[in-house]
Amino acid sequence: MRLRTLTAWAGALALSLVTGCAQGDGTGTSSDTVTYWLWDANQLPAYQACAKGFEKENPGLRVSITQLGWSDYWTKLTAGFIAGTQPDVFTDHIQNFGQFVDLKVLEPLDDLGIEDSDYQPGLAANWIGKDGHRYGAPKDWDTVALFYDEKLTKDAGLTAEQMNSLSWNPEDGGTFEKAVARLTVDRNGRRGDEPGFDKDNVKVYGLASNGGGYGDGQTQWSNFAASAGWSYLDKPRWGTKYQYDSRTFQSVIQWYFGLAKKGYMPPLSDYNVQSNQANTQVAAGKAATAFDGAWMITTYAGFKGRDIRTALTPVGPTGRRATMMNGLADSITKASENKEGAREWVAYLASDKCQKIVGRYGVVFPATPAGTEAAVAAYRKKGIDVSSFTEPVADRQHSRTFSYPIASYSADMTALMKPAMEDIYGNGKPVSSLDETNDQINLILSQ
């Protein structure tokens, strides 16, 4: 019943979006204005600076930028596709890219001359649709690393060298689990690796929780699964089958959520996406470490009274580290009334001119190598070491970087995997239950 409901909902959404685009009035903007939407408030000043540079080079055009919070952003964008009030250009996420392509609400960008070699490896290729057309211009990239409170690690007797050379396996957790256990402290001051440790009354958890991870686990379990040799789909891009029924994947999930059962990671009931994410737990001193993305670097660096450092993700059973390397892009809406101006703006956004400007703000890693270099220099000027994020990209021999799963019906996959993973994490449901969930997802994907 749930599968039928989801499929019917997705079909209705697809119909409404396509119909809305056909009947809509576009953005309703004048021919000299390009409307542009983004969600990250931290990046707004950088793109306002890019807009000034663009307008100087293109006297007849101006850019109107709108910034919205993450949830409101996607809600308003979807409503805009239906009502014909969408922007000319918007910041796109790979999570929604596949569905947008299937719904034909994006404008092809093949004529912008974007070459894979102009950007960090893999970024440009991710925005090619199943039909072979490009629908996104590379904007930036991010990886995941282990943030840790230096004082808490020192108190536990762990050095920076040890934190940067951890390894793990699904049998006993390796040196990573030993470190997390050591960093966990109960209400009586006993550590997780000491006799008498009370796992039901923990004061400081060794590892913060970022929730169940939906179907991607970007800042939760993805680095463990990938370093064990697992992949989301049967193909890197536009796969036809998800692989959540893999014994390798399920052994990783059983071990990872098992950290909460041992008292080393908060229970799911402690996590709140609005008010108690992993960074909040670290800031409050309730967790010693957290896996988080590069977009959070300045957030962790700004915690008052805490010296937060970063370490590489742990080495897995394959002998390599792993981290998701996600990347945003700029896309043009199919119903844009100013496609010529939009193309000029997107081409500028994807150029070294804009990307070096963005890099100098030190809030994100731009997609071009020159933009990345500018960002690294900006972080260094702020006294922030970002090598834990950049090293995996430069050292492919010892680190595996992988993309967010790129496939059709990603919203349906997420809708099914969210409760499935939370059932395992919060309610102790067996990992074998993912076999049925995987079958449901693959049935939708086969339509």
Side-chain angles (χ1 to χ4, degrees):
M1 180 63 71
R2 185 168 80 175
L3 179 60
R4 289 175 185 168
T5 302
L6 270 170
T7 305
W9 174 84
L13 176 62
L15 181 60
S16 66
L17 284 179
V18 173
T19 303
C21 285
Q23 296 177 342
D25 296 325
T27 61
T29 59
S30 61
S31 60
D32 63 345
T33 300
V34 178
T35 53
Y36 179 53
W37 287 9
L38 52 79
W39 65 75
D40 190 348
N42 291 329
Q43 294 186 52
L44 180 58
Y47 285 101
Q48 287 173 331
C50 276
K52 287 183 179 179
F54 173 76
E55 290 169 354
K56 188 175 181 179
E57 290 191 14
N58 299 271
L61 291 172
R62 64 177 293 270
V63 179
S64 175
I65 302 178
T66 298
Q67 183 267 319
L68 300 163
W70 172 265
S71 298
D72 290 339
Y73 182 89
W74 297 108
T75 300
K76 190 169 182 179
L77 183 63
T78 302
F81 283 138
I82 297 171
T85 57
Q86 67 287 307
D88 295 307
V89 182
F90 69 98
T91 300
D92 206 346
H93 193 289
I94 206 75
Q95 177 180 1
N96 301 311
F97 169 59
Q99 208 126 21
F100 287 158
V101 171
D102 288 341
L103 295 172
K104 302 185 186 305
V105 295
L106 303 181
E107 180 75 7
L109 306 178
D110 304 306
D111 58 345
L112 294 188
I114 291 172
E115 300 290 341
D116 289 5
S117 57
D118 292 337
Y119 304 91
Q120 297 289 0
L123 294 183
N126 284 349
W127 297 93
I128 302 294
K130 287 182 292 185
D131 58 5
H133 293 296
R134 170 172 300 285
Y135 293 98
K139 180 183 191 68
D140 57 34
W141 62 271
D142 55 70
T143 51
V144 173
L146 182 67
F147 290 86
Y148 66 90
D149 186 313
E150 188 184 36
K151 182 182 183 302
L152 296 182
T153 55
K154 280 187 175 180
D155 290 346
L158 295 168
T159 66
E161 289 74 22
Q162 287 174 307
M163 294 299 293
N164 220 34
S165 59
L166 298 173
S167 62
W168 82 280
N169 65 73
E171 285 76 40
D172 62 15
T175 58
F176 173 79
E177 183 170 328
K178 288 180 180 178
V180 168
R182 183 67 185 164
L183 289 165
T184 303
V185 183
D186 69 15
R187 296 291 177 183
N188 297 314
R190 293 189 181 91
R191 295 187 176 277
D193 59 356
E194 295 176 341
F197 168 70
D198 186 355
K199 67 182 181 66
D200 297 317
N201 291 284
V202 176
K203 183 180 180 180
V204 180
Y205 290 97
L207 179 65
S209 170
N210 247 328
Y214 300 88
D216 61 278
Q218 182 176 14
T219 58
Q220 296 87 4
W221 39 260
S222 69
N223 76 84
F224 296 112
S227 65
W230 178 81
S231 298
Y232 296 100
L233 292 147
D234 56 348
K235 293 190 294 184
R237 300 178 183 92
W238 303 111
T240 58
K241 290 184 179 179
Y242 278 93
Q243 302 183 125
Y244 299 117
D245 59 348
S246 157
R247 300 286 81 86
T248 296
F249 176 72
Q250 293 181 12
S251 70
V252 171
I253 296 305
Q254 183 168 324
W255 165 78
Y256 176 75
F257 289 136
L259 295 174
K261 291 182 180 179
K262 295 174 183 177
Y264 305 155
M265 184 171 73
L268 179 61
S269 56
D270 282 13
Y271 173 76
N272 187 298
V273 69
Q274 299 296 334
S275 60
N276 198 32
Q277 296 186 52
N279 69 91
T280 308
Q281 297 158 35
V282 172
K286 294 181 179 179
T289 71
F291 286 105
D292 226 327
W295 62 91
M296 294 295 291
I297 291 173
T298 53
T299 299
Y300 280 88
F303 292 158
K304 292 183 178 180
R306 302 201 177 277
D307 188 0
I308 306 298
R309 305 296 176 92
T310 58
L312 294 163
T313 57
V315 175
T318 60
R320 300 171 72 196
R321 307 177 189 280
T323 173
M324 181 183 288
M325 184 180 180
N326 194 25
L328 304 180
D330 290 305
S331 294
I332 298 175
T333 58
K334 191 81 172 178
S336 165
E337 288 192 343
N338 191 1
K339 290 181 182 177
E340 184 177 347
R343 275 182 159 74
E344 293 289 342
W345 172 233
V346 169
Y348 188 83
L349 287 169
S351 71
D352 270 338
K353 288 182 181 178
C354 176
Q355 302 226 341
K356 287 197 294 189
I357 291 173
V358 174
R360 287 194 287 269
Y361 276 75
V363 294
V364 69
F365 296 117
T368 65
T372 297
E373 289 175 12
V376 172
Y379 281 121
R380 189 185 301 117
K381 191 173 181 179
K382 295 178 181 180
I384 302 174
D385 177 12
V386 295
S387 58
S388 298
F389 299 93
T390 58
E391 186 175 317
V393 178
D395 184 11
R396 299 300 177 98
Q397 181 180 352
H398 299 99
S399 298
R400 175 190 175 190
T401 58
F402 57 94
S403 172
Y404 187 95
I406 300 173
S408 298
Y409 302 107
S410 59
D412 303 85
M413 177 275 287
T414 300
L416 286 165
M417 284 298 289
K418 180 181 185 293
M421 297 303 280
E422 291 181 350
D423 261 353
I424 295 169
Y425 183 4
N427 302 322
K429 196 169 184 178
V431 292
S432 58
S433 61
L434 290 171
D435 289 355
E436 181 181 357
T437 305
N438 195 70
D439 287 344
Q440 292 175 327
I441 295 169
N442 285 340
L443 178 58
I444 294 174
L445 198 58
S446 70
Q447 301 305 306

